[in-house]
Amino acid sequence: MSIHQSPISPGLSWYEATVGPRAEYAPLDGDLTVDVAIVGGGFTGLSAAAHLARTGVNVAVIEAHRFGDGASGRNGGQLGTGQRAWAEELEEELGFTRAKALFDLAEEAKAHLIDFAAINGIEIDYRPGQMSVVHKKRYLDDYRRHAGIMRERFAYPHLSFMDADETAQRLGSDRYFGGVRDTGTGHIHPLKLVMGTARVAGEAGALLFENTRATGIASQGGRVRIATARGTITAQKCLVATNAYGGGLEPTSAAHVMPIGSFIGATQPLGEDSPVLPGGEAVDDSRFVVRYFRKSPDGRLLFGGREIYAPGEDQAIETHIRRQIVELYPSLKDVEITHAWGGYVGITMPRKPFVREVMPNVIAAAGYSGHGVMLANFIGKLYAETVNGNRDRLKLFEELKIPPFPGGRLLRPALMFLALNWYALRDRI
Ligand SMILES: Cc1cc2nc3c(=O)[nH]c(=O)nc-3n(C[C@H](O)[C@H](O)[C@H](O)COP(=O)(O)OP(=O)(O)OC[C@H]3O[C@@H](n4cnc5c(N)ncnc54)[C@H](O)[C@@H]3O)c2cc1C
């Protein structure tokens, strides 16, 4: 089974274990004609469907597995702030006006996600606070400067610099040199958001099908035709929302978006007197192979980190995750890891989302590069705006320069394997 086709995870995720009763949706059986067809039932596809159906658009979603079985139901749950790249980096590349517009959209995305959940009665277990911490002393000045730029130039008052002492106290670990703390964002239970969004979409009239894989997409004469094993969908427009799981279904996005495996382990509850993350913030670090962790509402440490870049490397998640946990928290050397799972992150070369009209009336949106919890949901909303006649905001993403990965489909995995392992090595020296 190739990395593209794998339903992903060796184990049951803590999210699946705690999401509660998970509604099931029957597969497509027969032919259908709708206004908009959406391929992929994660944040992007389901959010687009909910917003489209609410405005009276006749929309259908097909998902190859269960909703949320891609990255959306199994990620770190961290919302973050802004785009994946820091606002000042975007300013250098795009100028202040575009960088600020992208920052403001991301702020709107964050607020929208929280409002959408609240208005629709979706309990997403939101917890405030996020810290980005520095694993090499030489990065410290960049982080200090970043906090100042965010405050003064991008009018974001919620980010503050932390020295080593404050960082150690807030992490319950002295392994980092400092960092920034963001009180204007937080973390969620992602699968609850997926299931809630599917419910909202269905209640608004969207047609939802699980276990229905698109096997081909063709656009001709103003109509898009999607083939599946047991039926076809004919639509005026189509959104390809398959992210890192699309395989060869749509070659343009496949050339621009690369799947990278990332793994998470959940420990047993650590107990109320645990020194780990006393403030309940989520954390990510400055490594290229980012480590990200947080506590669940029931006091477990959810720790993500190890990445793979080639198929067949996904064994022994627990061993690797435990090693990374113990580096930070030696007292957890015997902690039980109760759940271990993985998923594929869709990355692009410049780590910005890939949003493009890939054939007439077919838009693909993917490659959020580890920053899709809020962005993917919001891009779904912007796609709905586009269908309803306003493309201005989606255009801000469509205009980003995203080159394809080098090497073509055959050589690319080998080249990426070398490149990414080089970066992983650099994290250690
Ligand atoms: C382990 C992990 C940790 C992460 N942590 C974070 C984090 O903390 N913060 C953050 O912002 N982002 C994080 N991400 C990234 C984030 O989860 C994604 O950016 C986001 O979920 C993308 O949503 P999506 O709907 O575009 O794609 P997905 O959720 O991947 O959905 C794509 C769907 O398309 C389906 N599909 C594929 N091919 C077909 C086909 N032919 N026919 C029908 N359906 C098909 C797949 O089965 C899949 O369900 C993480 C990702 C992973 C894997």
Side-chain angles (χ1 to χ4, degrees), residues 167-234:
T167 304
Q169 182 233 318
R170 292 193 183 281
L171 289 183
S173 164
D174 60 5
R175 288 307 295 261
Y176 288 98
F177 294 98
V180 289
R181 176 166 167 256
D182 188 345
T183 54
T185 188
H187 47 109
I188 64 164
H189 188 307
L191 189 56
K192 287 188 178 175
L193 179 59
V194 169
M195 297 318 296
T197 308
R199 171 179 59 75
V200 171
E203 285 170 0
L207 303 171
L208 304 177
F209 303 100
E210 291 183 322
N211 296 308
T212 305
R213 175 178 291 279
T215 52
I217 303 176
S219 177
Q220 216 177 12
R223 284 271 176 282
V224 186
R225 197 163 167 279
I226 291 132
T228 77
R230 286 159 59 187
T232 58
I233 305 183
T234 305

Side-chain angles (χ1 to χ4, degrees), residues 111-132:
H112 174 263
L113 187 154
I114 293 165
D115 286 353
F116 179 85
I119 289 164
N120 292 296
I122 308 171
E123 177 44 81
I124 54 172
D125 300 348
Y126 179 78
R127 296 288 184 277
Q130 205 258 336
M131 300 188 282
S132 296

Side-chain angles (χ1 to χ4, degrees), residues 4 8 38-46 62-80 194 212-216 241-247 249 260-264 292 341-346 365-377:
H4 295 295
I8 320 117
I38 296 174
V39 183
F43 290 147
T44 306
L46 290 169
I62 54 172
E63 161 56 48
H65 301 282
R66 307 274 312 275
F67 293 138
D69 272 359
S72 297
R74 31 184 72 248
N75 55 62
Q78 303 197 22
L79 302 189
V194 169
T212 305
R213 175 178 291 279
T215 52
T242 53
N243 197 33
Y245 295 87
L249 178 70
I260 290 193
S262 181
F263 294 95
I264 303 181
Y292 50 98
W341 68 96
Y344 291 118
V345 184
Y368 307 100
S369 305
H371 203 71
V373 171
M374 64 150 155
L375 271 190
N377 281 288

Side-chain angles (χ1 to χ4, degrees), residues 48-63:
H51 287 95
L52 284 168
R54 286 216 158 154
T55 53
V57 175
N58 190 8
V59 55
V61 184
I62 54 172
E63 161 56 48

